[in-house]
Structures are given as C-alpha cells and as structure tokens.
Amino acid sequence: MRHIAARSNSHRSTKKISVVIPAFNEQENIPVLVQALRKVLDKLTYDYNVIFVDDGSKDGTISVLRTLNNLDGRIEYIKLSRNFGHQNALKAGLDHADGDCVICMDGDMQHPPELIPAFLSKWEEGFDIVYSRRISTENISWFKRATSNMFYALVNRLSEIHMEPGTADFRLIDRKVADALLQFNEIDPFLRGIIKWLGFSQHGINYSADIRYSGKSKYSLSRMIKFAFQGITSFSIRPLYFAVYLGFAFSAITGVCLPYVLYSYYTGNTNIGYASAGWASILMSIFFLGGLQLIIMGIIGIYVGKIFLQSKLRPNYIIQSTSIKQPQYDLVEF
C-alpha cells in the first residue's frame, strides 16, 4: 500500500473551506475580490480561509496581501520567489490548503464568488469535484472565443481526456481529491486535465463570466499556444502518431507529384510547364521533406524536453515567504 501525507481535520467540528487564488500583478483586484468573497462566505455556516499565491508580482500585490492578513488572519498568502506560472502557483495553493474542500478561482473578478454556494450545495450532495462551465461570451473578443474553442477541440482530439468547452480552473474539489493531487510532481502541470483524469464523481455548473475589474489578461497568444501544447503533451502521445501519419501523407503527395516532375523535365512539354534543372530537387526536398522533418522533430523535441526537465527533479515552485503556519499531517491509505 502506498501512503501519502494528508492534512488532519479531525479536530474541527465545523467544516472548513479553503479558497485558493493565484495572483500576478493584481494589487487593484485583490481588495475588491476579498470584499466580494466575504459577502458570500460570511453568510455560510462554514469556517474558511482564503489563500492568495503571489506568483512573482512586480507591483504592490504582496504589500496588499500582508495588510489584509494583518487585518484578518483568514486572508493568508504565499509569496513565491519568482514567477513560476499560473498552474504552479495554483499547485502551491492546493498543496497548502487545509480545508475539507478547496475552491480554486482567479483573482481578476471574472470568476463570480456568488457561485460558491452552488458549488457547496453539490458538494454536500456527494460530488467530489464541482467544476464551472462558462456559457456567456458577450464580454470576450471573437479572437479569444475562437482560440478558446480551438484549444478545447485540440485537447479533446489529441489527448486521452475530454474537456467540456468553457471549463477552466474555477472549481471545488473535496479533501480526498486535494490529497490525491499531493502525489503529483509533474513539471508544468496541467491541473484542469489532471483533475479530469483523476475521476471521482464530478458535476458541472454553468455561469456567466464577469468583466475583469482591473488590469489586462496575463494570457497572451504565445502563452495560450504554449498552454495548449502543455495540455496535449501531458496526457497523450497521439501527436507522435500524428507525425507518423503526416509523414505518410507527405510521402504520398511526393509520389503523386513525382511522375509529373519527371515527365515535364525530360519532355519539356510546354502544355504542362517546363521544369528547369534543379527545380525538382529543391521543391521536393525543401518544401516536403524539410518541412516535414521540422514538424516531426519539433513534436519529438517537446516530449524529450519534458523528460529532460522531469529528470532534474526540481520543485514546481519555491516559497519566499508565507503567512501559513506549518500544517499537521496524518497518514492516509489509498
């Protein structure tokens, strides 16, 4: 039997909620979000704490968090030593959350805190994972909608998990799911895929995203593309098979074109065009074989790079400072 360390909540008579929020340059959004969370959480019969993870912010995010922590000990923070990325920051918060359930959300006010009671209602019904699906796209540009739809289509097509369009990192997970996540130490974790892969009983809730309160989205086009490749290569080797199929396809095209090239070169038939010396080798070799090799080597390189980084056994994140006290652990059998 494999044993893992899990937090002990047996001393509490009231269930506790932990809210985990990664933050990168969100100094203006955090006070507004905390106020909105308090309006919702203070009405509930649960204990709670809110854990902000400062992912190497360059503004006054950590100063705001320290002030809020001094005013209310339930508002806690983790400051990472540098920017480790949204998924690693989220993993840091999950690793240190001690609630009977953990709610993950972003710090830009686009994930409505008002949805939390609905999450908790489904959790009390027995669901281990309650996730959200964004259904309203009125405040999102057409480019963002198109790239989002393309992302989910690629992930579902090329990976071994199925993700519903509009799902993200706004969700509730039960304590046993959070304990299971403690076992994962993958480089560049794709948490929304990992949680889907874990199984357990899951339920989706639709919601309309709010407008970002302040600042700009941290997800540029290049980051979205990288995130898509990260998700696909984390759960499947289908891209490698795709490279093989692509190789066969280009070889077939080459085979079809070759008779035309040879005929036009040796006959000089002007009706179909004359191929000058060297044209055949340049066109066939560079455009077909050269491009094909780059594609295949790039796909293989991504997988090799993941193996290389994972073999180093480096931590997913490094904590510079935190307001969270050392948690207590029990041994739990799975």
Side-chain angles (χ1 to χ4, degrees):
M1 283 286 188
R2 184 177 182 180
H3 294 73
I4 66 167
R7 290 166 182 75
S8 174
N9 299 324
S10 58
H11 64 283
R12 292 201 305 262
S13 58
T14 304
K15 291 182 179 180
K16 181 178 180 180
I17 307 167
S18 289
V19 182
V20 173
I21 307 172
F24 178 64
N25 295 338
E26 302 286 4
Q27 65 174 2
E28 296 180 4
N29 290 321
I30 288 174
V32 179
L33 177 57
V34 168
Q35 184 179 10
L37 283 170
R38 282 174 174 159
K39 287 182 180 179
V40 174
L41 297 175
D42 287 344
K43 295 178 181 178
L44 303 176
T45 58
Y46 304 88
D47 290 335
Y48 71 87
N49 66 337
V50 181
I51 303 173
F52 284 92
V53 183
D54 180 6
D55 189 22
S57 297
K58 302 300 182 182
D59 61 358
T61 294
I62 189 61
S63 298
V64 172
L65 292 175
R66 285 171 176 158
T67 300
L68 290 171
N69 176 253
N70 290 332
L71 295 174
D72 185 350
R74 295 174 298 180
I75 311 300
E76 301 181 286
Y77 67 85
I78 298 172
K79 177 175 174 53
L80 302 185
S81 61
R82 63 171 178 84
N83 181 266
F84 286 89
H86 179 272
Q87 296 293 283
N88 285 320
L90 184 57
K91 181 69 163 59
L94 289 170
D95 289 345
H96 292 79
D98 64 347
D100 295 286
C101 69
V102 183
I103 297 172
C104 307
M105 61 191 304
D106 291 342
D108 55 8
M109 292 297 294
Q110 289 191 300
H111 292 163
E114 293 77 16
L115 200 62
I116 290 177
F119 281 174
L120 294 169
S121 176
K122 290 299 179 182
W123 176 55
E124 293 289 3
E125 288 180 18
F127 290 100
D128 300 313
I129 299 171
V130 185
Y131 60 92
S132 63
R133 290 186 298 256
R134 187 183 63 229
I135 57 173
S136 176
T137 57
E138 296 178 359
N139 301 319
I140 301 176
S141 66
W142 68 268
F143 179 77
K144 180 69 173 179
R145 290 196 300 268
T147 53
S148 177
N149 292 334
M150 186 181 299
F151 167 77
Y152 288 107
L154 282 173
V155 169
N156 292 335
R157 180 70 175 175
L158 296 178
S159 71
E160 297 174 357
I161 58 172
H162 178 77
M163 296 181 58
E164 300 174 51
T167 58
D169 293 312
F170 186 26
R171 69 174 70 85
L172 176 150
I173 61 175
D174 186 75
R175 178 75 260 161
K176 57 178 171 286
V177 180
D179 289 340
L181 288 173
L182 291 173
Q183 302 177 75
F184 287 79
N185 290 299
E186 298 181 9
I187 296 296
D188 291 330
F190 182 59
L191 289 175
R192 67 183 70 174
I194 291 174
I195 291 175
K196 192 71 175 180
W197 176 87
L198 283 173
F200 294 101
S201 56
Q202 304 194 18
H203 181 81
I205 296 178
N206 296 330
Y207 81 102
S208 298
D210 293 332
I211 300 175
R212 182 181 178 86
Y213 179 76
S214 177
K216 297 181 179 180
S217 173
K218 309 305 186 296
Y219 268 90
S220 61
L221 177 60
S222 60
R223 284 196 174 189
M224 287 191 291
I225 293 174
K226 180 181 178 182
F227 190 60
F229 276 110
Q230 178 182 329
I232 293 168
T233 56
S234 293
F235 286 91
S236 177
I237 60 171
R238 288 182 183 176
L240 294 176
Y241 288 101
F242 174 76
V244 175
Y245 299 147
L246 193 63
F248 280 117
F250 274 93
S251 297
I253 293 173
T254 304
V256 171
C257 294
L258 187 59
Y260 158 73
V261 172
L262 294 176
Y263 179 76
S264 62
Y265 177 75
Y266 286 108
T267 65
N269 191 330
T270 56
N271 292 328
I272 60 174
Y274 177 73
S276 60
W279 176 85
S281 60
I282 292 175
L283 183 63
M284 305 301 286
S285 299
I286 294 179
F287 285 101
F288 287 99
L289 299 179
L292 178 62
Q293 288 173 357
L294 287 174
I295 292 173
I296 295 175
M297 290 181 65
I299 293 174
I300 295 174
I302 292 175
Y303 285 97
V304 174
K306 282 180 171 285
I307 296 172
F308 171 71
L309 293 175
Q310 192 68 42
S311 67
K312 291 178 175 292
L313 299 178
R314 291 175 179 170
N316 293 88
Y317 55 85
I318 297 175
I319 296 176
Q320 179 175 328
S321 61
T322 180
S323 65
I324 301 176
K325 297 180 180 179
Q326 185 68 28
Q328 300 297 318
Y329 294 92
D330 286 337
L331 288 179
V332 176
E333 278 194 1
F334 280 93

